[in-house]
Amino acid sequence: MPEQTALRLEKAQLVMPNFNHRRLRLICAVNIIRANSKHPLNSLRPLDEIITITGFKPALNHMPDFVSDFPNTIALIHLETMLCAGFHTHDDELLSRFIGYHARLNTADWQLVSLIQRRMHTVAGVNAHMLDNQVLVGNILSVTVAMKILGVGVPVLEPVVVPVGSASPSSLENMLKQIFATLPGHLQGFRKIQTPLTRRITPLLATALPDAKRHVRIYIDETMDHQEYAAIEASLTQMPAVQLVHSESVARLIITADMTKVSDPRVDKSKYFYFSISSYSSWLSLEHYIHYLAVHEKGIKTGSGIDYTYIDEDLAVAED
């Protein structure tokens, strides 16, 4: 019975084309059990309205007879497949129709996704090309639309998968918290689904940050003597957790031999590391501090053979 139902829904094009068939069969089984147990399903929005909002409007032209008998159940299953973020290619007609509908009408869902997209553009290390990718935008929009209609009572059965080297879930969640906390009045309704929505779009957003968390972005003060600069540069290029950058504005750590820069009360001292080229302990302290940043801030996983002690942040400005 679940298998037959899943096949009929796929044939009627009422589920996401790339949705896993086995998962669809499981969802159908759960809904069949619920129906046989006489547990009524709360009414969602009208099925034809949901189908239009999600970009499946052409399916209304050949709707099977069984759909009219279970409109709420079909709507629920349909939306659950939208939560899978199943868009994969740019030339997907459904993707173009779905994004086009929301962009043309400037829906609340589109405004929220656009707001998140704009905020992401300000994050250091973001890959703008990936962030503007219509597949990524469509998947975030898909999850947002489905979650808003379904509400908060939708379990997350899948683990949150964040690509290796991408931003840690906590860093992205903090950014989303700031967005939700400052939503304009007409978008305040999204705060009701803030937690489940954040949980679902975090791994999607992480794909647009391939470098921001894989490496500790380090800037070497160009006013240093060439001998010092070259020695530090040669050492850092051997560290896989480091990405050397040429602008202080995007650096997490600035290495300098100028004590006046570190002692300036106007600067963020956690961003500076005072390096004394004549001190052996400076090399060790720098290595430990970079490891601390990589593990505790950047979320980089280390192998079982690496065992560093905890390094206090004050090491960043400590002089031998």
Side-chain angles (χ1 to χ4, degrees), residues 10-14 56-65 67:
E10 289 171 339
K11 184 178 180 180
Q13 298 179 335
L14 288 171
F56 283 74
K57 189 174 182 179
L60 295 174
N61 299 325
H62 48 81
M63 198 75 76
D65 294 337
V67 173

Side-chain angles (χ1 to χ4, degrees), residues 26-286:
L26 176 61
I27 292 174
C28 291
V30 170
N31 278 281
I32 290 171
I33 294 173
R34 179 196 53 75
N36 292 337
S37 302
K38 308 300 181 183
H39 291 298
L41 183 65
N42 293 333
S43 178
L44 300 170
R45 297 166 74 166
L47 178 60
D48 59 342
E49 183 179 329
I50 291 176
I51 292 296
T52 300
I53 291 173
T54 57
F56 283 74
K57 189 174 182 179
L60 295 174
N61 299 325
H62 48 81
M63 198 75 76
D65 294 337
F66 75 92
V67 173
S68 60
D69 297 327
F70 309 99
N72 288 336
T73 299
I74 301 300
L76 174 61
I77 295 175
H78 174 74
L79 290 170
E80 287 182 322
T81 69
M82 293 292 292
L83 288 173
C84 75
F87 293 116
H88 301 306
T89 59
H90 294 86
D91 57 356
D92 189 333
E93 183 179 345
L94 174 60
L95 173 64
S96 299
R97 189 166 54 243
F98 177 52
I99 290 180
Y101 173 87
H102 288 273
R104 184 173 63 256
L105 298 180
N106 195 29
T107 63
D109 306 275
W110 179 254
Q111 291 179 49
L112 177 64
V113 172
S114 298
L115 179 61
I116 293 173
Q117 190 180 18
R118 288 196 301 273
R119 185 69 63 86
M120 282 289 291
H121 268 292
T122 67
V123 177
V126 69
N127 185 317
H129 177 71
M130 294 178 65
L131 185 58
D132 294 333
N133 186 310
Q134 291 299 286
V135 172
L136 175 60
V137 173
N139 282 325
I140 296 174
L141 181 63
S142 172
V143 172
T144 302
V145 169
M147 185 62 67
K148 189 178 74 171
I149 298 175
L150 289 170
V152 297
V154 183
V156 177
L157 302 178
E158 313 86 0
V160 173
V161 179
V162 178
V164 174
S166 296
S168 65
S170 60
S171 64
L172 289 175
E173 287 171 5
N174 289 335
M175 183 199 73
L176 291 171
K177 281 181 181 179
Q178 294 178 349
I179 291 176
F180 280 105
T182 56
L183 285 175
H186 67 289
L187 297 181
Q188 286 288 320
F190 285 105
R191 297 185 67 177
K192 296 178 181 179
I193 58 171
Q194 174 179 343
T195 298
L197 184 57
T198 296
R199 189 180 301 121
R200 287 181 180 270
I201 67 175
T202 292
L204 296 174
L205 293 172
T207 62
L209 284 165
D211 297 322
K213 293 295 178 177
R214 177 177 301 198
H215 305 106
V216 179
R217 302 165 72 86
I218 296 179
Y219 173 82
I220 305 174
D221 189 354
E222 295 179 353
T223 64
M224 298 177 73
D225 291 344
H226 176 71
Q227 180 183 358
E228 297 177 352
Y229 186 99
I232 295 173
E233 181 182 42
S235 177
L236 295 183
T237 54
Q238 301 302 313
M239 298 184 185
V242 169
Q243 179 185 4
L244 293 175
V245 296
H246 301 288
S247 172
E248 292 187 20
S249 62
V250 298
R252 170 58 185 89
L253 185 64
I254 299 170
I255 299 176
T256 182
D258 185 349
M259 177 55 76
T260 61
K261 292 184 177 181
V262 179
S263 59
D264 188 338
R266 296 169 298 179
V267 303
D268 180 1
K269 290 182 173 55
S270 68
K271 288 193 63 175
Y272 284 85
F273 186 97
Y274 176 71
F275 193 94
S276 175
I277 195 68
S278 60
S279 171
Y280 286 110
S281 63
S282 283
W283 292 101
L284 181 61
S285 296
L286 176 60

